[in-house]
Amino acid sequence: MTTLVTFARARLDDDEQTARAAHQPNWVTDGRRGIEYGLDSGWMTDALTTADANHIARHDPARVLAEVAAKRRTVERHAQCGTGVGYCDDAGHGWDWAPGGGCADLADLALPYADHPDYRPEWRP
């Protein structure tokens, strides 16, 4: 059975692999409808609105990798919650438990992946 910790680690692995496979290092918008990405200065422009371009540039691979690293630290800090020796078990953040009985912080980290087939309804905060 997949645990919430295992699930969160696997989804972060997926995010990291996807970001590393994308053009690196930074994406920027031209302020109109294009995105410049990577060292080769390629441009994506087809069917992008300015809002789309801004959103894509804001979530470039470098940012995704930074977010994955931060989320991994949170997962590791909470990996033993509920065992009696975990971060939440000694009131690390006020005994905040999710409705399904797990760590609320891990439940929050997993929620963006609720459409994944391995996500379990009882993890929903």
Side-chain angles (χ1 to χ4, degrees), residues 9-87:
R9 286 175 177 155
R11 300 299 67 77
L12 292 173
D13 289 347
D14 293 344
D15 287 351
E16 180 181 20
Q17 290 170 2
T18 300
R20 290 195 184 282
H23 288 83
Q24 300 284 329
N26 297 306
W27 296 8
V28 296
T29 181
D30 64 0
R32 295 182 309 265
R33 296 170 56 103
I35 296 289
E36 184 176 16
Y37 57 89
L39 298 175
D40 59 2
S41 295
W43 281 91
M44 294 187 300
T45 57
D46 295 339
L48 291 178
T49 66
T50 300
D52 291 337
N54 290 338
H55 176 75
I56 292 167
R58 182 172 176 90
H59 294 87
D60 77 337
R63 177 176 173 163
V64 170
L65 292 173
E67 288 181 3
V68 164
K71 290 174 183 178
R72 282 188 202 279
R73 288 190 299 274
T74 301
V75 169
E76 294 314 310
R77 192 166 42 250
H78 291 272
Q80 293 187 349
C81 291
T83 66
V85 296
Y87 181 74

Side-chain angles (χ1 to χ4, degrees), residues 4 78 80-108 123-125:
L4 184 53
H78 291 272
Q80 293 187 349
C81 291
T83 66
V85 296
Y87 181 74
C88 298
D89 299 327
D90 68 357
H93 60 82
W95 300 91
D96 192 13
W97 294 96
C103 172
D105 287 347
L106 290 179
D108 286 344
W123 294 336
R124 186 173 294 278

